[in-house]
């Protein structure tokens, strides 16, 4: 057998053996459908000791080919002890870096306050109310559609949007 043929066979063998590993590491995320969001997000979000109603028409999220979902929805907090501390509910089946804040998979709530730089967004563990950190949502470019809440798919639109403001995110392995 010629050396050229052996090397060609080795290259094909190695690339064939590595292809499943490379595909397994690569995740393709897309916008979640209304049905996927309804299945992933609760009608009443468990927040500390309460179950706060969600506004499902504001739900947004992304899903990968394995069915992992990152999604959020606006909370209807009138009459609850959230008292403006929380405005949104967020579930994450994958780790994420939101601006400089790293979040593990889990369930979170967040609220925001207007500051000169944009919105100061504070994230809390939904079950305990323990603060996990904060990030600044900055004004999005003019012409960007205003959304109550939106999570864009990774890539060009890797942004968590709140109204006219957005926080860039990165999905972590």
């Amino acid at each position: 057998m010629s050396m050229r043929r052996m090397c060609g066979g080795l290259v094909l063998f190695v690339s064939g053996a590595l292809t499943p590993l490379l595909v397994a590491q690569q995740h393709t995320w897309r916008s979640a459908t209304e049905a996927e969001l309804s299945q992933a997000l609760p009608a009443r979000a468990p927040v500390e000791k309460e179950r706060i109603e969600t506004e499902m028409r504001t739900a947004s999220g992304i899903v990968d080919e394995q069915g992992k979902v990152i999604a959020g929805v606006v909370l209807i907090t009138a009459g609850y002890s959230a008292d403006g501390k929380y405005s949104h509910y967020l579930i994450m089946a994958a780790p994420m870096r939101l601006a400089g804040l790293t979040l593990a998979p889990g369930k979170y709530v967040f609220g925001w306050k207007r500051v000169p730089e944009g919105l100061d967004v504070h994230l809390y563990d939904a079950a305990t109310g323990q603060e996990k950190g904060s990030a600044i949502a900055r004004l999005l470019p003019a012409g960007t559609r205003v959304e109550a809440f939106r999570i864009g798919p990774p890539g060009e639109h890797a942004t968590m949007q709140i109204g006219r403001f957005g926080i860039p995110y990165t999905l972590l392995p």
Side-chain angles (χ1 to χ4, degrees):
M1 189 182 255
S2 73
M3 182 62 95
R4 179 181 231 176
R5 212 166 176 190
M6 274 183 21
C7 288
L10 182 60
V11 167
L12 285 175
F13 172 77
V14 169
S15 66
L18 291 178
T19 299
L21 294 174
L22 295 174
V23 171
Q25 291 177 354
Q26 182 182 16
H27 289 279
T28 304
W29 292 82
R30 61 171 172 77
S31 293
T33 65
E34 193 173 314
E36 289 167 328
L37 292 169
S38 293
Q39 187 176 19
L41 293 165
R44 291 187 166 276
V47 179
E48 294 185 44
K49 295 177 181 161
E50 303 193 55
R51 298 189 52 80
I52 302 175
E53 193 173 348
T54 58
E55 184 63 57
M56 287 305 288
R57 65 188 170 103
T58 65
S60 178
I62 56 175
V63 63
D64 74 359
E65 71 277 356
Q66 297 172 343
K68 290 182 182 176
V69 176
I70 297 174
V73 64
V74 172
L75 293 170
I76 302 173
T77 57
Y80 290 96
S81 63
D83 196 30
K85 183 178 177 181
Y86 311 132
S87 60
H88 295 74
Y89 181 75
L90 180 66
I91 60 164
M92 297 180 12
M96 173 190 286
R97 183 170 297 119
L98 191 60
L101 179 63
T102 301
L103 297 169
K107 297 175 183 174
Y108 300 91
V109 288
F110 65 88
W112 53 270
K113 289 183 182 179
R114 186 71 194 253
V115 294
E117 301 85 11
L119 302 178
D120 186 12
V121 179
H122 288 264
L123 288 105
Y124 306 87
D125 179 88
T128 65
Q130 178 185 6
E131 186 168 357
K132 295 297 180 181
S134 65
I136 298 291
R138 303 204 183 277
L139 189 61
L140 293 169
T144 303
R145 183 176 159 173
V146 176
E147 302 273 355
F149 182 71
R150 182 174 183 279
I151 301 174
E156 293 178 32
H157 307 290
T159 303
M160 187 178 296
Q161 183 179 347
I162 306 162
R164 297 180 301 136
F165 299 87
I167 306 171
Y169 74 82
T170 305
L171 295 175
L172 302 173

